[in-house]
Amino acid sequence: MTRWLVFILVNYVALGLTASQETCSYWDVMNNLNITEANPRLTSVRPVTDWKEPSIIRIDVTLHAILDLDEKLQILTSLVRFRMSWKNQFLTWDPQSFCGISSISIPVDSVWQPDLSVAEMTEDPQSPTVPFLSLSSDGTINLRKPIRIMSTCNLDIYKFPFDTQKCNLTFGTYMHTVQDIIVVPKSNSSAVTQSSREIYAKSEWLLGKVDVLSNNISTEEKEWSQVIYQITIQRVPLLYVINLIVPAGFLVIVDVASMFIPMEGGERLGFKITVVLGFSVLLLILNDLLSNSEVTPILGVFCAVCLVIMIISIIDSIFISYMLHLSAVRPDVPQWLKIWVLKHLAFILRIDTAGATESNAVGVRNTDKATSVVRKEADMPNRMCFQKEHDSVEVKLLKKVLLELLMIRRHMIMSKREDEAKSEWHMVAFVLDRFILICYLLTVFIILITVVVVWAF
Ligand SMILES: *[C@@H]1O[C@H](CO)[C@@H](O)[C@H](O)[C@H]1NC(C)=O
Ligand SMILES: *[C@@H]1O[C@H](CO)[C@@H](O)[C@H](O)[C@H]1NC(C)=O
């Protein structure tokens, strides 16, 4: 029992003794370092004892999120975790003399900081502020803060919406040359990519990789040190496929299908114009999305070509309804049109116009025969009249009926001829229509293959 008591007593005394010997706070360290009040010696000059010695700034960047990528203004808004460390040769202490305190937090504006900035920065958006730095006993200062960066980025939208973008974040100083400040990356490309993947927030953009490059650029005969973080991101195209590409494809299919609406009547024309209106709405959306850069996205080219052939097919429809109208007013098809369309074009397209021409020939032959008969028979009653003036009443009546019949027959032949001419116009219209349809399909096919090839590679 007494042994226990003695043990506790000795312990208590020992504890009390140490406490009275070494009680220290962060304030003691700061007091010792002279950073409790504004100290120009610490805030205004680069903290090296020998001016020829450059300060090495180690930086590390982890990409946290792509908040926005504005295709029109070509501006990338990203959120990164930024870490920077450098050595301050004036701020060192011995942890042993301060109860083992090896690092303290100090206010941001109490010490000198390198003037690091992002070269591509367009404006300074509100970033969360971190008011403290950490200072280690060997003088190493660590700064960690999240920053929102709005930077310019040259977008390559040729393959939109299947595009991959590369954007640079270049960290460097504006004032200090390489004799004063050398910026070096803390971790290499694969480490940065790995750590970024772990915290990256999902968005419209998938994170490909982050490349880290460091180099010295020289301008005005001086050298500046910089570190480039090249971010490669890939667009998730699903939204654009659903909202843009699929509707455009369907409209083109509908427009092709409308070529099979009968030529007669104005229905086809009205339908086609409605389709073109729908298509131009899609074009407006596309125009809204993309910027006016030197390369046009292949999707835009596709839409433009589709619009052009849609309009050509509208003109074709107008032309064909005009031809059908002509067939009613001017039954004869001009000879050159007959030769070019019914003979050559129909031959190339392998459309069988032989039926039409043959029936034409038969018709013409029949008409010729009929007219000759009419002529002969028209003469006949006259002869009869001369020969037999004393015909009975019945015979006279019969002759009159015959004449009437002949008149009707002639009329019928005439109208048949007209019909045949009409069907010739129809044939011309049909051949031209098929020609446009084939051109249409060919163009759509070629441009479609081109677009798919461009997207795939
Ligand atoms: C990004 O940096 C790399 C490396 O210096 C350079 O080759 C590339 O042209 C830069 N890209 C842009 C868009 O400035
Ligand atoms: C930049 O120049 C400094 C000083 O001349 C040199 O130490 C450093 O290695 C250079 N950095 C690169 C990436 O060339």
Side-chain angles (χ1 to χ4, degrees):
M1 191 66 192
T2 15
R3 216 167 356 129
W4 271 110
L5 212 68
V6 169
F7 178 72
I8 289 171
L9 211 74
V10 167
N11 261 344
Y12 183 77
V13 170
L15 217 75
L17 273 178
T18 32
S20 69
Q21 266 176 5
E22 298 185 42
T23 307
C24 30
S25 66
Y26 292 133
W27 185 258
D28 299 329
V29 183
M30 282 175 73
N31 239 341
N32 178 263
L33 296 173
N34 272 337
I35 43 178
T36 46
E37 61 230 31
N39 187 347
R41 189 171 155 260
L42 289 180
T43 55
S44 52
V45 288
R46 195 161 61 80
V48 281
T49 44
D50 175 12
W51 71 276
K52 284 179 186 151
E53 189 183 333
S55 297
I56 311 255
I57 316 287
R58 298 178 185 281
I59 63 166
D60 200 13
V61 165
T62 310
L63 183 67
H64 197 286
I66 300 291
L67 302 178
D68 186 32
L69 202 149
D70 191 329
E71 282 92 356
K72 249 193 149 56
L73 300 175
Q74 310 230 336
I75 286 179
L76 168 80
T77 311
S78 51
L79 184 65
V80 302
R81 283 188 186 167
F82 180 68
R83 287 177 296 281
M84 172 162 75
S85 67
W86 68 95
K87 221 159 202 164
N88 189 321
Q89 297 180 352
F90 304 145
L91 298 177
T92 55
W93 72 90
D94 179 14
Q96 294 302 306
S97 16
F98 291 96
C99 322
I101 294 179
S102 63
S103 100
I104 58 169
S105 289
I106 54 171
V108 163
D109 49 8
S110 60
V111 288
W112 177 90
Q113 281 184 44
D115 57 338
L116 225 59
S117 59
V118 179
E120 288 85 7
M121 197 86 120
T122 54
E123 59 180 285
D124 207 352
Q126 281 294 315
S127 299
T129 51
V130 177
F132 293 107
L133 306 166
S134 102
L135 172 65
S136 305
S137 58
D138 64 348
T140 305
I141 297 182
N142 269 295
L143 176 152
R144 302 162 65 88
K145 61 177 179 183
I147 35 177
R148 241 174 86 167
I149 302 173
M150 281 178 86
S151 56
T152 58
C153 182
N154 272 336
L155 300 183
D156 176 15
I157 48 171
Y158 183 58
K159 289 185 178 182
F160 175 86
F162 298 93
D163 49 343
T164 301
Q165 304 296 348
K166 278 185 181 174
C167 294
N168 283 1
L169 297 179
T170 308
F171 290 85
T173 65
Y174 271 109
M175 282 308 300
H176 295 90
T177 58
V178 80
Q179 276 78 39
D180 285 333
I181 284 182
I182 297 176
V183 190
V184 292
K186 251 186 209 167
S187 27
N188 62 6
S189 303
S190 56
V192 172
T193 304
Q194 185 59 33
S195 58
S196 295
R197 285 224 173 104
E198 275 162 19
I199 59 165
Y200 185 72
K202 284 195 177 64
S203 65
E204 191 195 328
W205 296 91
L206 290 178
L207 178 64
K209 57 177 178 173
V210 183
D211 284 319
V212 185
L213 311 149
S214 72
N215 60 11
N216 290 338
I217 53 156
S218 50
T219 46
E220 303 161 13
E221 294 166 3
K222 283 179 189 163
E223 269 200 311
W224 276 267
S225 166
Q226 63 179 24
V227 173
I228 302 170
Y229 287 83
Q230 191 172 51
I231 301 168
T232 308
I233 47 178
Q234 198 180 1
R235 194 193 297 271
V236 180
L238 189 65
L239 181 77
Y240 299 100
V241 170
I242 291 172
N243 282 346
L244 216 60
I245 297 174
V246 169
F250 278 139
L251 281 180
V252 171
I253 291 173
V254 164
D255 199 57
V256 171
S258 75
M259 297 293 274
F260 294 101
I261 297 177
M263 294 179 282
E264 293 85 0
E267 262 162 60
R268 190 206 272 196
L269 198 57
F271 187 82
K272 272 183 172 298
I273 286 172
T274 318
V275 171
V276 166
L277 278 183
F279 201 75
S280 60
V281 171
L282 287 183
L283 277 186
L284 275 185
I285 296 177
L286 188 70
N287 194 36
D288 228 30
L289 280 175
L290 302 176
S291 67
N292 189 9
S293 62
E294 69 240 81
V295 278
T296 321
I298 192 79
L299 185 63
V301 175
F302 173 74
C303 287
V305 171
C306 284
L307 190 69
V308 166
I309 44 180
M310 278 178 180
I311 288 186
I312 288 178
S313 81
I314 284 184
I315 292 171
D316 163 66
S317 298
I318 294 172
F319 196 59
I320 277 167
S321 53
Y322 175 65
M323 271 201 259
L324 297 185
H325 164 74
L326 265 192
S327 76
V329 229
R330 227 186 64 185
D332 304 314
V333 179
Q335 200 60 34
W336 61 270
L337 203 59
K338 249 196 245 179
I339 291 171
W340 279 107
V341 175
L342 289 187
K343 227 168 138 190
H344 299 313
L345 200 57
F347 176 73
I348 294 167
L349 301 182
R350 305 236 162 255
I351 294 175
D352 184 23
T353 53
T357 30
E358 206 163 273
S359 82
N360 268 355
V362 170
V364 169
R365 240 178 284 133
N366 281 351
T367 344
D368 286 349
K369 222 191 298 174
T371 32
S372 67
V373 169
V374 169
R375 219 177 285 127
K376 209 162 56 193
E377 293 193 358
D379 289 349
M380 226 160 52
N382 287 346
R383 246 185 292 143
M384 280 176 187
C385 285
F386 282 123
Q387 283 171 0
K388 296 184 180 120
E389 297 239 333
H390 43 79
D391 276 346
S392 67
V393 182
E394 289 86 0
V395 175
K396 269 186 182 162
L397 213 59
L398 275 176
K399 278 179 186 166
K400 247 188 182 165
V401 169
L402 181 66
L403 258 179
E404 286 296 319
L405 273 178
L406 282 173
M407 295 294 283
I408 291 171
R409 190 176 170 187
R410 179 191 261 168
H411 184 77
M412 281 184 70
I413 286 168
M414 292 300 282
S415 77
K416 194 176 172 220
R417 208 193 223 173
E418 244 170 49
D419 274 357
E420 266 156 14
K422 220 182 228 177
S423 87
E424 221 167 40
W425 270 118
H426 277 237
M427 205 63 210
V428 170
F430 178 76
V431 171
L432 277 182
D433 199 43
R434 281 295 167 273
F435 175 64
I436 295 288
L437 175 62
I438 287 169
C439 288
Y440 194 146
L441 285 178
L442 263 182
T443 319
V444 169
F445 190 66
I446 290 171
I447 185 84
L448 199 67
I449 297 247
T450 318
V451 167
V452 168
V453 165
V454 165
W455 279 342
F457 299 107

